[in-house]
């Protein structure tokens, strides 16, 4: 398998990257980890005229605890998330998802920001970002804007970046109180995309009631989807088995999966139901931990 | 040379010689661990060009036109080859291994998605791939047929309208056993147990795809083809017949092969096109498949729709077996199998059990799917057969309320019944089926597990214990019964002992990772006493090895291994005469121990095999020919019948249908083990492929004939993480007719284990009334079975 | 484009097309021990150490390797002696057809750099981006653990 021809440059600063993107226009794409883009090029499903490789830009591989949120730079690899003490101590759903993204070698190269930008509905990170209510920092030669993840994810493989913009950073809010989360992924084998996955996150208030809830679903819609009704049902309530079952039921109603080689739609909705409940049980135990 | 401490207890040779029973470390590994293997894609020849193949995007369509002009104009493109050009050289069609025909490059219609339509030859593989995008084909689509049921239905569109006498989509019809006797058994049955199931389409998908470098020298007419071939000699003959080339000018070199598993038995269009291109252009042409090409066009396996019925009496004895098969052959009937047997050796379906009546009917249908029907780590459809009977006996046990193990024990062929004549005509050579089963059950502590299962069910947990007590039939085969395209299924060994006592062994078979360079050296070491490390094994070069039918169907050890033992013994007898000459004694007065002859009663009067080898060239007895070499062609008197019992313990998640393997115990009996380390390696590899089949690994098609499972993202090969932790043990029942008592082993685990995994999941749900889930046991299928059972 | 790489300790300068995959570049230098087994970044047969980290070189462009140090199977030997992972793969029968072996050994060597005493689960997890079709992985796990023993003994 051989990719089609393209022009290439590997600038060493963000400014140069943005200037090149602006100059090359629509045919240009950013190359970060490349673990989705390059296979698509080899299968000739993508044929960008110009690749702007950002791997030589220094200082973009950070995972930092900044006031109130964790900032993840454009070149932080999945492996960096797996190994990050900052992530381990601030966000359970991310820590739980990271080891199940792709396979160990792909994680050495692929980036979180690249996955977020890719908007593959079977991808893992955007569900976790939805549950955590993350923000995407988009930068272009004319400035920077901060996009809530809900607005960033537009559709099947479609984000809300404007021409000339790159995902420079993703910001994940930290728990304001005690919190917990989980990412439960049904995959067929290591390296597989999710057949179904559920990201869940809760924060408790001082009375032990649920102050914030995030639930998002992978691979059961045309994009990673927030299960809003399930979240709403949780907020303000005291956690219980019954409540979590109800959340599971509501989450499954937010799923609109296809029947395909991985399984039937009915079964996928059932997995959403079960995984939501189980994820919330894990999240609660952590929050109460 | 190192050997393990846990050597077989019956060794005839010391570790320094490393004969049968020693776990000699593999000779071939030194190059592989240094990256110095030489696979087809590593072959680089001066002036070599690169070929890429354009494949049909649709499953069934008339070709209205092909426009290659833009592709031909690309800088770096040397030639664009179409079916029309091939037809000019009478090469548009070729024979299959089942005596059918297959299109090399389509001329009239495309009959499956992925079929070869045109090829580009260019100076660079990237350019060749670019040019494929500039070939424009006008297709007129026809309805796609994706199952034998559709194919054989009235009014189905004719797929093989190229064949003059073909009026429907029936590829073959075949039967075995005695229908009348079997019907009588069913008429007398107290109970009949039925199972209908599909063994899904699969693909061997070795990690190295198929490929070739064809090098035709226009001046000399010499044709050298480096190719991924499990059967280089047979392929040479096929090339001679297909292309009309003089066979002495064809040399097939099968270098290191990155796994075969049956995928590399057939001749594929790519090999033929590359050779034709090299012939036309006069330069070497390389063609290496992508993984997608490998999965969508070459060598599928299985795809059997099966119905089986067991007739039982009130005591739980099996009275008879009836099976009906609808096999999905794809667009061309290309099963790699012996001529006489259109459904391979499926009629071994009577399994490890003793009953007098069986009848098998098989019908093959053309469909708009890739051709193949290769014996994927399997002796010609034995896998489907073993799966059918082992699923059936487990269900029969449930239906009559017996423990599945005790049901098997009651019905097993007993050790004293061998040689056992099966109702479909096999003569089983040897076995102790209950011995192997009891050993496996002991390891897993079966009785405790059954109690634990009861407790687990009370707690709402679904624990399942499944087993399979398989019998295989391998080592084709005696020439009365077995041939491929008329070539009798013998094999050969040529042994040359050099003056310094080192040796070279040349074989007609071809290793794809099985470790022939070590195992076969050990057979010579056993018989001649020359250290295994002093013996070079050469395979895969038709100019320099004796003719053979190749490596598949677990036949190398049963056939070429026997040839090796016999030629070694022949040379030992010549060596005895030379030794007698050196010791000035009578040959009859000499005793042999591995590595030396000595005068009876006078062990100090001895000569080593190395002394003898030197004398063979420097001081031969006057009445003997000089030298110490010979060749033997071995026609086996019978097949060998390895067997064993596999036990699998699973836990099923009732809420989602996910299941995982807690234990996997494999007790194999492959007769005498030549290299126990290699045997265990073969078994563990096979167990993994069985696990793959049971869990996730299959190819399916949508209604339009689009292949689902066309890359490793959808055709799922298990990783180390999912693969169960296997526990192995063995029993040893030698084959009575093999010179060293060995049976084939490379495929037992792939053949036997799928039923064990599936039976385990069924067992977890058996109390709910579940009796079948078609493979693969995807969690949604398991979940649906639970829902249906609970709902009903 | 001109690239400068250190391949198995030797500096090289080559002219490559931007689209050339790193695996094709490496194989083109005569280091054919690095193999290609799939099109989809699934199998890991092409795994090479890039600045010490395992990477699937079918999913990198050669131009991206400029300035990097590459270690392929041909560069595993140290001072003419087999790397412990090579010796262990032979000793424990961790290979059959040999096609996945280079990638498998390189991934394992990187694991052992980080953790010379891995558990069975550690090894299975670490090599889960590398497919083997022959061995069933049991003996690969044993080989990696044995290589760890050899490394710890030194």
């Amino acid at each position: 398998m051989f990719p089609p021809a393209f022009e290439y440059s590997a600038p060493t600063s963000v400014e140069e990257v943005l200037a090149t993107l602006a100059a090359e226009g629509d045919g240009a794409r950013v190359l970060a980890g490349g673990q989705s883009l390059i296979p698509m090029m080899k299968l000739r499903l993508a044929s960008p005229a110009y690749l702007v490789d950002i791997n030589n830009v220094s200082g973009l591989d950070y995972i930092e605890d900044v006031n109130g949120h964790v900032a993840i730079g454009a070149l932080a690899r999945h492996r960096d998330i797996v190994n990050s003490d900052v992530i381990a101590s601030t966000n359970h759903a991310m820590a739980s998802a990271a080891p199940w993204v792709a396979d160990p070698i792909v994680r050495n190269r692929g980036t979180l920001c690249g996955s977020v930008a890719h908007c593959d509905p079977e991808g893992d990170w955007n569900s976790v970002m939805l549950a955590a209510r993350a923000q995407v920092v988009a930068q272009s030669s004319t400035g920077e804007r901060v996009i809530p993840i809900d607005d960033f994810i537009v559709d099947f493989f479609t984000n809300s970046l404007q021409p000339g913009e790159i995902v420079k950073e993703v910001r994940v809010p930290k728990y304001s109180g005690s919190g917990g989360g989980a990412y439960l992924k049904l995959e067929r084998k290591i390296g597989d995309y999710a057949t179904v996955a559920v990201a869940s996150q809760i924060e408790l208030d001082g009375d032990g009631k649920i102050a914030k809830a995030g639930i998002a679903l992978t691979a059961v819609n045309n994009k990673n989807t927030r299960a809003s009704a399930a979240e709403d049902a949780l907020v303000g309530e005291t956690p219980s088995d019954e409540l979590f079952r109800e959340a599971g039921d509501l989450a499954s109603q937010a799923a609109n999966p296809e029947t395909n080689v991985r399984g039937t739609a009915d079964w996928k909705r059932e997995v959403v139901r079960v995984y939501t409940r189980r994820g919330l049980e894990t999240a609660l135990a952590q929050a109460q931990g | 040379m190192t050997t393990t401490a846990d050597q077989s207890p019956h060794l005839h040779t010391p570790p320094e010689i490393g004969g049968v029973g020693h776990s000699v470390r593999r000779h071939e590994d030194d190059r592989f661990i240094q990256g110095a293997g030489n696979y087809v894609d590593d072959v680089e020849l001066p002036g070599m060009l690169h070929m890429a193949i354009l494949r049909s995007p649709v499953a069934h369509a008339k070709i209205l036109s092909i426009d290659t002009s833009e592709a031909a104009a690309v800088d770096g493109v040397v030639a664009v080859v179409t079916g029309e050009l091939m037809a000019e050289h009478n090469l548009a069609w070729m024979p299959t291994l089942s005596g059918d025909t297959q299109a090399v490059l389509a001329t009239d219609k495309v009959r499956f998605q992925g079929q070869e339509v045109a090829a580009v030859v260019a100076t660079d593989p990237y350019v060749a791939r670019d040019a494929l995008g500039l070939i424009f084909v006008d297709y007129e689509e026809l309805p796609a047929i994706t199952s034998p049921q559709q194919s054989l239905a009235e009014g189905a569109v004719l797929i093989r309208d190229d064949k003059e006498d073909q009026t429907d989509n029936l590829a073959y019809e075949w039967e075995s056993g005695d229908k009348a006797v079997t019907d009588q058994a069913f008429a007398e049955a107290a109970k009949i147990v039925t199972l209908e199931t599909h063994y899904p389409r699969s693909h061997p998908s070795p990690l190295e795809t198929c490929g070739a470098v064809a090098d035709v020298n226009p001046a000399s007419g010499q044709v050298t083809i480096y190719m991924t071939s499990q059967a280089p000699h047979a392929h040479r003959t096929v090339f001679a017949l297909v292309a009309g080339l003089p066979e002495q000018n064809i040399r097939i070199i099968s270098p290191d092969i990155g796994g075969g598993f049956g995928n590399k038995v057939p001749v594929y269009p790519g090999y033929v096109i590359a050779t034709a291109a090299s012939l036309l252009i006069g330069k070497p042409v390389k063609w290496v498949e992508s993984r997608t090409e490998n999965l969508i066009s070459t060598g599928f396996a299985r795809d059997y729709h099966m119905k089986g019925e067991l007739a039982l009496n009130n005591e739980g004895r099996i009275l008879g077996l009836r099976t009906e098969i609808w096999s999905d052959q794809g667009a061309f009937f290309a099963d790699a199998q012996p001529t006489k047997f259109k459904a391979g050796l499926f009629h071994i379906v009577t399994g490890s059990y003793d009953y007098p009546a069986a009848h098998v009917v098989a019908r093959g249908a053309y469909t708009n799917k890739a051709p193949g029907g290769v014996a994927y780590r399997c002796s010609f459809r034995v896998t489907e057969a073993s799966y059918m009977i082992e699923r059936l006996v487990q269900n029969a046990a449930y239906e009559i309320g017996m423990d599945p193990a005790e049901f098997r024990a009651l019905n097993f062929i007993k050790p004293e019944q061998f040689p056992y004549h099966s109702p479909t005509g096999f003569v089983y050579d040897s076995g102790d089926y209950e011995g192997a089963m009891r050993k496996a059950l002991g390891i897993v502590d079966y009785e405790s597990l059954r109690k634990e299962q009861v407790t687990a069910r009370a707690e709402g947990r679904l624990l399942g214990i499944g087993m399979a007590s398989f019998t295989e039939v391998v080592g084709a085969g005696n020439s009365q019964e077995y041939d491929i395209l008329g070539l009798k299924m013998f094999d050969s060994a040529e042994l040359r002992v050099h003056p310094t006592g080192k040796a070279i062994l040349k074989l007609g078979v071809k290793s794809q990772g099985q470790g022939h360079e070590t195992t076969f050296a050990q057979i010579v070491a056993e018989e001649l006493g020359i250290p295994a490390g002093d013996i070079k094994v050469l395979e895969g070069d038709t100019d320099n090895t004796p003719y053979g039918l190749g490596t598949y169907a677990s036949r190398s050890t049963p056939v070429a291994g026997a040839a090796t033992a016999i030629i070694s013994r022949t040379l030992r007898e010549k060596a005895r005469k030379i030794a007698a000459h050196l010791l000035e004694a009578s040959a009859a007065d000499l005793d042999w121990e591995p590595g030396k002859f000595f005068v009876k009663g006078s062990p100090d009067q001895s000569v080593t095999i190395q002394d003898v080898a030197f004398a063979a060239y420097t001081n031969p007895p006057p009445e003997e020919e000089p030298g110490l070499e010979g060749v033997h062609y071995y026609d086996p008197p019978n097949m060998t019948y390895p067997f064993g019992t596999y036990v699998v313990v699973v836990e099923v998640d009732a809420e989602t249908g996910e299941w995982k393997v807690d234990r996997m115990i494999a007790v194999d009996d492959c007769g005498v083990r030549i290299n126990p380390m290699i045997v265990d390696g073969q078994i563990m590899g096979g167990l993994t492929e069985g696990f793959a089949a049971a869990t996730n690994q299959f190819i399916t098609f949508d209604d339009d004939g689009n292949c689902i499972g066309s890359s490793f993202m959808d055709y799922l090969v298990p990783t180390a993480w999912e693969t169960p932790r296997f526990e192995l043990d063995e029993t040893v029942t030698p084959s009575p007719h093999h010179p060293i008592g060995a049976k084939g082993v490379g495929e037992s685990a792939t053949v036997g284990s799928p039923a064990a995994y599936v039976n385990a999941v069924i067992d977890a749900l058996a109390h709910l009334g579940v009796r079948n889930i078609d493979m693969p046991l995807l969690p949604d299928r398991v979940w649906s079975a639970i829902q249906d059972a609970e709902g009903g | 484009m001109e690239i400068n790489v250190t391949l198995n300790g030797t500096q090289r300068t080559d002219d490559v097309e931007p689209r050339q995959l790193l695996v094709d570049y490496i194989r083109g230098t005569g280091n054919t021990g690095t193999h290609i087994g799939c099109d989809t970044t699934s199998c890991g047969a092409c795994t090479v150490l890039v600045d010490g980290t395992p990477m699937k070189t079918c999913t990198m462009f050669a131009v991206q390797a400029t300035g990097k140090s590459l270690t392929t199977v041909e560069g595993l030997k140290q001072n003419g002696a087999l790397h412990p992972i090579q010796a262990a793969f032979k000793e424990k029968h961790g290979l059959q057809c040999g096609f996945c072996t280079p990638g498998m050994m390189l991934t394992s060597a990187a694991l052992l750099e980080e953790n010379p005493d891995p558990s069975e689960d550690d090894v299975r997890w670490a090599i889960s981006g590398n497919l083997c079709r022959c061995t069933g992985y049991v003996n690969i796990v044993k080989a990696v653990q044995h290589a760890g023993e050899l490394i710890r003994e030194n």
Side-chain angles (χ1 to χ4, degrees), chain B residues 82 90 138 146 200 300 354 360 415 640 665 704 724 756:
Chain B
T82 61
N90 207 21
D138 199 2
T146 57
F300 86 89
D354 175 29
V360 177
T640 68
I665 289 91
D704 296 326

Side-chain angles (χ1 to χ4, degrees), chain C residues 48-146:
Chain C
V48 161
L49 302 183
V50 179
D51 287 343
T53 302
M55 297 285 179
K56 295 188 178 180
T57 56
C58 71
T59 314
M60 278 182 76
F61 296 112
V63 285
Q64 298 187 283
T66 198
K68 311 274 188 205
S69 172
L70 308 176
T71 306
T72 70
V73 62
E74 291 90 347
L76 267 178
K77 274 176 133 176
Q78 296 156 339
N79 305 319
L82 291 179
H83 187 287
I85 196 72
Q86 294 173 299
F89 263 66
K90 177 172 179 179
E91 176 61 24
K92 296 295 178 186
H93 189 29
L95 66 150
Q96 290 182 23
C97 80
F99 205 74
C100 77
T101 310
M104 202 62 93
M105 290 194 304
L106 288 160
T107 298
S108 302
L111 168 70
L112 294 172
E113 282 286 318
E114 288 181 10
N115 176 7
D117 190 12
S119 68
E120 173 168 2
D121 275 359
D122 291 339
V123 177
R124 285 182 178 264
W125 186 252
I127 63 172
S128 62
N130 295 79
L131 297 179
C132 170
R133 196 64 166 151
C134 297
T135 64
Y137 302 106
V138 175
N139 287 344
I140 293 178
V141 173
K142 286 182 185 165
V144 177
Q145 291 182 317
H146 181 58

Side-chain angles (χ1 to χ4, degrees), chain A residues 10 26 47 84 101 112 116 138 166 188 206 247 272:
Chain A
D26 282 353
S47 48
S84 165
V101 173
L112 179 139
V116 167
I166 65 165
R188 299 172 297 179
V272 170

Side-chain angles (χ1 to χ4, degrees), chain A residues 77-153:
Chain A
R77 317 280 172 180
H78 305 302
R79 170 198 166 93
D80 300 330
I81 315 283
V82 173
N83 294 337
S84 165
D85 293 336
V86 173
I87 298 296
S89 62
T90 58
N91 191 289
H92 296 91
M94 282 187 75
S96 139
W100 298 100
V101 173
D103 71 43
I105 307 180
V106 171
R107 287 198 293 275
N108 288 340
R109 185 78 181 162
T111 65
L112 179 139
C113 287
S115 294
V116 167
H118 192 48
C119 283
D120 183 336
E122 294 180 344
D124 301 307
W125 282 126
N126 277 351
S127 289
V128 181
M129 295 302 116
L130 284 165
R133 294 188 158 70
Q135 297 176 316
V136 177
V137 179
Q139 194 169 3
S140 70
S141 51
T142 57
E144 183 180 290
R145 57 189 183 118
V146 179
I147 310 168
I149 188 71
D150 291 84
D151 298 336
F152 181 80
I153 303 166

